[in-house]
Amino acid sequence: MQIAPLSAIGDGMDPGFGVYVHWPFCAAKCPYCDFNSHVRHQPVDQPRFVAAFLKEMAAVRALSGPRTVTSIFMGGGTPSLMDPRTVEAILDGIARHWHVPDGIEITMEANPSSVEATRFRGYRAAGVNRVSLGVQALNDRDLKFLGRLHDVENALKAIRLAREIFPRMSFDLIYARPNQTVEEWERELKEAVSYAVDHLSLYQLTIEEGTPFYGLHKAGKLVVPDGEQSAVLYEATQEITADIGMPAYEVSNHARPGAESRHNLTYWRYGDYAGIGPGAHGRLAIGSGKIATATERNPEAWLQRVEECGEGLVERELLDFEAQADELLLMGLRLREGVDLARWQTLSGRDPDPAREEFLIEHGFIERIGNSRLRCTPAGMLILDAVVADLAC
């Protein structure tokens, strides 16, 4: 089954309705990672977790009502630790609870160890048609530094296998690593684009509180590029990917036209999505409002809660229009296409502050696209958080 183009699913700017499934287990915890991931030294009872996923789906379906799914994403953690039969059962459950048309994007995150790569054919048979590989670096020294369990040889094997089996494939790289020069990154990125099919996710290394890297950084034992050097690395990234026809459509994501991640566009266009599994978040329209959902983060506590209560939800917050407007702005300005101003005005009940907008335009940080959209310029993307904060006031 091929992935239908966006135009076949709906309006190219339609946020859609996604389903996110979180598999929280990893073989090892990377020192930079602050995601909800957990290492277990005993085999995970996958049938028991599948039953809980299906039970929570029913509870979320009761909140969302009948919807047509435009994308499914299995993230983690490391979803490629799942047995293909587990994946098949989860996808079948989604199809029982919501309408899932043929050809929608169904993505699975995977780590490129040789053991997991052998499961790819099983995932494809289960219905997965897009894989996102956590490669992170293309030299063994930095893979070791990042705590990855694979080496470059295994990464390239996984990339080749993914290209052979799945209609679409993306992989991640982390840059702005300690002591990384622009010349080194340019060589690595040019090598990466030679392996890419239609999509790359390129993230700057960030030091997140609560991670091992945070402690090392705070103690002065881990030094990352400063703001100026990071900006140079970012600009080199934009230039190289644009030259080969994979420009940034979002701050850290690059694709050939039409190959953008349908699921992630749902987030960035502020669409609705159901979050299933330990630590999953969701946004669901309820009447004229929207609720933010979050589930219990600890896998075993989530499992017990679902088995006893039918769901793992620990947060169910009704977002007022102002909160929705802020989230729309925060997410939409990450995109090259920008924000739908009419939608933001409807939610916020106001126009952008003329003085703030004029200031940001004069300094080259934002621009209007006709009268209907507002977006960050490349310079504005470098200070995105500040731009969002200024416009939201």
Side-chain angles (χ1 to χ4, degrees), residues 88-385:
E88 183 177 18
I90 289 170
L91 294 178
D92 286 348
I94 293 170
R96 287 197 300 273
H97 287 96
W98 294 279
H99 174 54
V100 179
D102 289 340
I104 69 162
E105 177 189 279
I106 302 176
T107 301
M108 169 185 275
E109 290 183 336
N111 279 343
S113 71
S114 57
V115 173
E116 294 163 14
T118 61
R119 304 181 186 206
F120 280 5
R121 295 190 189 281
Y123 299 143
R124 182 71 187 100
V128 175
N129 53 23
R130 182 177 182 272
V131 69
S132 178
L133 292 170
V135 172
Q136 313 308 6
L138 288 174
N139 69 74
D140 288 339
R141 179 200 66 198
D142 284 352
L143 285 172
K144 185 176 181 180
F145 161 74
L146 292 169
R148 307 300 288 169
L149 297 181
H150 62 274
D151 57 18
V152 172
E153 182 181 359
N154 280 334
L156 297 183
K157 285 180 181 178
I159 288 171
R160 287 192 291 269
L161 189 63
R163 291 182 64 158
E164 174 189 336
I165 294 172
F166 297 97
R168 284 176 51 195
M169 183 270 292
S170 178
F171 62 89
D172 300 356
L173 291 178
I174 294 174
Y175 66 100
R177 306 188 290 260
N179 303 313
Q180 185 180 43
T181 67
V182 175
E183 293 73 23
E184 287 172 336
W185 172 234
E186 287 177 339
R187 285 195 297 270
E188 187 172 354
L189 181 54
K190 287 175 181 177
E191 181 184 0
V193 299
S194 72
Y195 306 135
V197 177
D198 55 17
H199 194 285
L200 281 171
S201 296
L202 306 171
Y203 302 102
Q204 291 199 24
L205 178 63
T206 55
I207 306 301
E208 304 292 349
E209 190 169 355
T211 65
F213 273 6
Y214 180 83
L216 290 172
H217 181 67
K218 193 172 182 180
K221 297 179 181 179
L222 175 60
V223 179
V224 295
D226 60 21
E228 183 176 346
Q229 177 71 354
S230 293
V232 173
L233 290 163
Y234 175 82
E235 289 165 355
T237 303
Q238 308 316 302
E239 182 178 343
I240 290 170
T241 53
D243 284 347
I244 57 97
M246 295 177 65
Y249 68 97
E250 189 267 347
V251 174
S252 301
N253 285 273
H254 305 254
R256 301 192 189 283
E260 299 86 355
S261 167
R262 181 70 172 105
H263 189 83
N264 287 335
L265 281 174
T266 293
Y267 297 151
W268 297 321
R269 289 173 175 170
Y270 203 47
D272 282 6
Y273 54 98
I276 310 294
H281 290 254
R283 292 291 185 276
L284 298 171
I286 304 294
S288 61
K290 187 178 287 247
I291 61 169
T293 66
T295 60
E296 165 63 46
R297 290 173 58 86
N298 179 273
E300 288 75 25
W302 172 86
L303 184 62
Q304 183 177 356
R305 187 181 182 95
V306 174
E307 290 176 341
E308 292 177 356
C309 306
E311 63 180 45
L313 292 178
V314 292
E315 294 180 23
R316 192 182 307 187
E317 178 188 1
L318 180 62
L319 300 174
D320 61 24
F321 288 136
E322 183 177 354
Q324 291 181 57
D326 287 347
E327 289 192 341
L328 172 66
L329 196 65
L330 176 67
M331 301 302 284
L333 283 179
R334 299 180 63 89
L335 288 168
R336 181 62 182 154
E337 70 188 31
V339 172
D340 180 345
L341 274 175
R343 189 177 174 204
W344 182 81
Q345 289 163 331
T346 298
L347 288 171
S348 65
R350 60 185 174 89
D351 295 326
D353 182 274
R356 293 179 185 275
E357 183 180 353
E358 183 179 355
F359 174 85
L360 292 170
I361 289 174
E362 285 182 353
H363 286 77
F365 297 134
I366 63 171
E367 60 188 1
R368 287 269 188 152
I369 309 172
N371 292 320
S372 62
R373 303 191 74 80
L374 188 71
R375 70 178 177 189
C376 277
T377 64
M381 287 293 189
L382 289 170
I383 56 166
L384 180 60
D385 290 346

